[in-house]
Amino acid sequence: MTIVERNLEGRAGQGDANGHADITPTPRVVHYTDQAPQQSNRGWMLGVILGALAIGMIGLVAIVLGGMALSGGEAAPEVASTTVEVSAREFAIGGNLTAPAGEVTLRITNTGSTDHNVGVRELGLMSTTVGPGGVVELPLGELAPGVYELYCDIAGHEESGMVNTLTVTGDGQAAVTGAGESAGGHGGHGDDPDWAAMDAAMMETMLAFPAETEGRGNPVLAPTEVKADGTKVFDLTAEIVDWEVEPGKFVEAWTYNGVVPAPQILLDRGDSVEINVTNNLPIGTDIHWHGVHTPNDQDGVAPYTQDLIEPNGGTFTYSFTVEDDAIGMYHAHNHAQMAVVNGMFGVFRVGDNPIPYGQTFSGVTIPEDLEVAMDIPMILNDAGTIGLSLNGKSFPATEPLVINQGDWVSITYYNEGLQIHPMHLHQFPQLVYAKDGVPLDHPYWVDTLNVAPGERYTVLFRADDVGTWVWHCNILTHVERSDGMFGMVTAIVVNETPGFDPDDWPVDPTNWRNVSIGDAAPSDAAIGEPADGTDGEDSTDATPDGT
Ligand SMILES: [Cu+2]
């Protein structure tokens, strides 16, 4: 019985097919009756003029039809005035986005970690850009019932998910009644956050892990043919599919062969390949083999090295021989800012991991006969339709890594996103032993490894403690928001190995700083061993130049 299985059973009993309960925070709408007009806003002014005209027309009709004298102001209905609290963050626009017909103002709080703005498409209005923690108001004027689209117009943000709708209902009169309760109130443009609801939402999203979703990325691509001369033939089709990025949330993913990440292409050094690409996208494409040595005309950069592969059915065959080992990736180069982050990325590897067998680092010796229990890719993304994700899924749909106590695991991080991601693994230090596929002369242990766009780092760790250990990007807005955990989080689940003796290892990587000289595995690089060969107790003897 593993923790993962228990969670799966628990979720199955909840009845919701997606295991995804409604965790919408308590509505935060504040009504005002005396909102001061902002003269600088033409949209607001236009709204006032149109509103006045509308009221005038109603009055005129009443006069004509009823033949009665009408003293305008007395008969005109009081117009509701509503301020809607809106949150803007990477990459979503949130809040209880409803208001009664009438004057509406958006009060936008940037709860993210980078600049945002929010506008209303139908009205042609856009707020000023506001930094993290900042607040800005956007008066919209008098709105008729309907659905209005909110979006952030900072490049790439709408595409990454910063779009939502504001629903204006027809019950303006009812809202006016409610407005009296808070009008002229405590001056806070919003109630206190519902802390209990936030806690409940966090716990609920975390207990939903691991959530089942349709589709799984990184399958290993088998050759469709191996020619007589040994050439391996692979087929890739670029196509747009619906991809369940988190439970119940389907997005339009741009894919190779319908999965995110794309299928892994795993080769041996010296292999010749032919890769047939069919482009079913609406725009041209090409494939760049990132970190892989190829002839120039196979580098996949239209128009320099080839023509674009035509949209809607165009084809192209890449053909080259891999002469060197590589830990690379393949991705679209044309309009990569959109195509790649929408899902067009995959692993391209040649050769074996350059594991430093038998070598000692910071007092920890990697076994000569080490067998890696699991070797997996961890592809990072943060934008496009896929958004903040690990291997094409957002928590709780991310896949846990289930292993046994004592297992060694090798992970390669590939950053196909637009931002850096410091990847933090709880409990188990990671030995960084290759960068962009190049074996390091001096591997090093970390608990947090920053991975920039385009980089690959390959690490090794040994899981000798039982339990569920989370593993996540440490930019906290990439993993948590007010309605719970999401994005770049998964976990290592270490199951107990009967009879496992944690002391059967000369130095435990999880507490190697407690090791005193002599306890370490035989090595000339034992921790704290002074350069002058003394016992190290009198550190003042050692000078920086070693004399
Ligand atoms: Cu991150």
Side-chain angles (χ1 to χ4, degrees):
M1 169 59 73
T2 68
I3 289 168
V4 173
E5 285 164 350
R6 279 206 301 276
N7 282 344
L8 285 168
E9 285 164 8
R11 192 175 58 258
Q14 290 172 8
D16 182 331
N18 295 317
H20 203 231
D22 179 8
I23 51 171
T24 306
T26 303
R28 293 175 59 193
V29 179
V30 182
H31 303 289
Y32 296 93
T33 51
D34 292 307
Q35 180 87 16
Q38 300 203 0
Q39 302 295 341
S40 62
N41 191 298
R42 289 182 182 176
W44 186 90
M45 290 299 290
L46 183 63
V48 169
I49 292 164
L50 290 175
L53 280 172
I55 292 168
M57 288 297 289
I58 291 167
L60 185 61
V61 169
I63 290 167
V64 171
L65 294 183
M68 296 166 58
L70 180 68
S71 58
E74 290 173 19
E78 187 178 357
V79 176
S81 179
T82 307
T83 295
V84 177
E85 297 285 343
V86 180
S87 66
R89 60 170 186 259
E90 305 83 45
F91 287 99
I93 293 173
N96 182 35
L97 303 176
T98 61
E103 302 287 348
V104 177
T105 296
L106 302 184
R107 185 169 185 274
I108 301 149
T109 302
N110 183 341
T111 57
S113 55
T114 188
D115 285 354
H116 295 296
N117 57 30
V118 174
V120 183
R121 198 173 326 267
E122 291 80 359
L123 305 178
L125 296 175
M126 178 54 66
S127 76
T128 54
T129 296
V130 60
V135 179
V136 65
E137 293 203 353
L138 179 65
L140 305 181
E142 189 171 334
L143 296 188
V147 176
Y148 300 82
E149 191 161 79
L150 308 183
Y151 69 109
C152 174
D153 80 349
I154 293 174
H157 287 200
E158 180 185 355
E159 294 77 7
S160 297
M162 292 193 69
V163 59
N164 209 329
T165 54
L166 170 70
T167 301
V168 175
T169 59
D171 57 350
Q173 282 300 104
V176 171
T177 307
E181 297 168 8
S182 57
H186 45 64
H189 286 250
D191 302 326
D192 283 339
D194 187 336
W195 305 114
M198 287 175 66
D199 278 349
M202 184 61 70
M203 297 306 105
E204 185 146 10
T205 51
M206 293 179 73
L207 290 170
F209 176 79
E212 299 239 18
T213 48
E214 284 180 23
R216 185 178 180 197
N218 290 320
V220 175
L221 188 63
T224 45
E225 178 190 355
V226 179
K227 293 187 169 179
D229 66 355
T231 299
K232 295 176 179 173
V233 180
F234 296 95
D235 292 338
L236 292 176
T237 300
E239 58 187 343
I240 298 176
V241 304
D242 288 335
W243 183 254
E244 192 174 13
V245 69
E246 60 185 76
K249 180 184 176 186
F250 287 83
V251 298
E252 282 195 350
W254 293 37
T255 72
Y256 296 109
N257 296 3
V259 290
V260 183
Q264 299 185 67
I265 297 177
L266 307 179
L267 301 171
D268 297 319
R269 192 190 310 170
D271 277 352
S272 291
V273 295
E274 289 179 8
I275 300 168
N276 301 315
V277 181
T278 301
N279 179 18
N280 290 338
L281 301 174
I283 66 168
T285 197
D286 47 13
I287 299 181
H288 172 58
W289 316 95
H290 184 108
V292 181
H293 290 175
T294 64
N296 182 252
D297 63 1
Q298 302 298 304
D299 194 42
V301 182
Y304 298 150
T305 67
Q306 67 174 91
D307 292 333
L308 277 177
I309 309 172
E310 293 290 324
N312 305 312
T315 61
F316 185 85
T317 297
Y318 291 91
S319 177
F320 53 90
T321 298
V322 288
E323 307 282 6
D324 309 295
D325 284 359
I327 299 177
M329 47 198 184
Y330 64 101
H331 52 222
H333 207 271
N334 184 51
H335 280 293
Q337 90 288 355
M338 176 178 61
V340 173
V341 289
N342 282 357
M344 297 181 75
F345 50 77
V347 167
F348 190 100
R349 294 189 47 164
V350 183
D352 297 325
N353 284 324
I355 292 173
Y357 298 103
Q359 297 182 47
T360 300
F361 311 104
S362 301
V364 179
T365 300
I366 307 305
E368 289 275 7
D369 58 350
L370 178 143
E371 288 185 18
V372 171
M374 199 174 282
D375 176 18
I376 64 163
M378 173 63 79
I379 306 188
L380 317 177
N381 187 15
D382 48 46
T385 55
I386 305 297
L388 292 156
S389 56
L390 301 175
N391 286 334
K393 299 284 180 175
S394 171
F395 184 92
T398 47
E399 191 171 354
L401 203 164
V402 183
I403 52 180
N404 293 318
Q405 192 178 18
D407 280 352
W408 286 85
V409 175
S410 183
I411 308 290
T412 299
Y413 298 101
Y414 303 79
N415 189 340
E416 288 280 21
L418 308 180
Q419 304 178 46
I420 58 168
H421 300 288
M423 296 302 297
H424 177 55
L425 172 58
H426 287 212
Q427 189 73 359
F428 309 118
Q430 311 170 67
L431 179 73
V432 184
Y433 69 92
K435 164 73 167 77
D436 300 336
V438 179
L440 297 183
D441 287 340
H442 301 284
Y444 55 98
W445 296 95
V446 299
D447 61 40
T448 305
L449 180 64
N450 201 17
V451 188
E455 290 188 321
R456 287 90 64 217
Y457 284 94
T458 306
V459 305
L460 195 60
F461 69 88
R462 184 191 193 222
D464 40 9
D465 292 303
V466 170
T468 294
W469 307 97
V470 297
W471 182 22
H472 58 88
C473 172
N474 220 94
I475 293 178
L476 303 178
T477 49
H478 292 184
V479 294
E480 290 176 300
R481 56 193 178 197
S482 58
D483 57 359
M485 188 163 279
F486 83 113
M488 309 183 77
V489 191
T490 184
I492 310 272
V493 179
V494 183
N495 293 316
E496 186 174 359
T497 297
F500 177 80
D501 178 6
D503 296 326
D504 72 356
W505 186 244
V507 178
D508 179 351
T510 64
N511 63 8
W512 77 100
R513 291 196 300 180
N514 292 336
V515 172
S516 54
I517 298 165
D519 289 348
S523 164
D524 57 7
I527 297 169
E529 187 174 344
D532 61 4
T534 67
D535 63 9
E537 290 192 2
D538 186 356
S539 60
T540 58
D541 287 348
T543 56
D545 63 3
T547 58

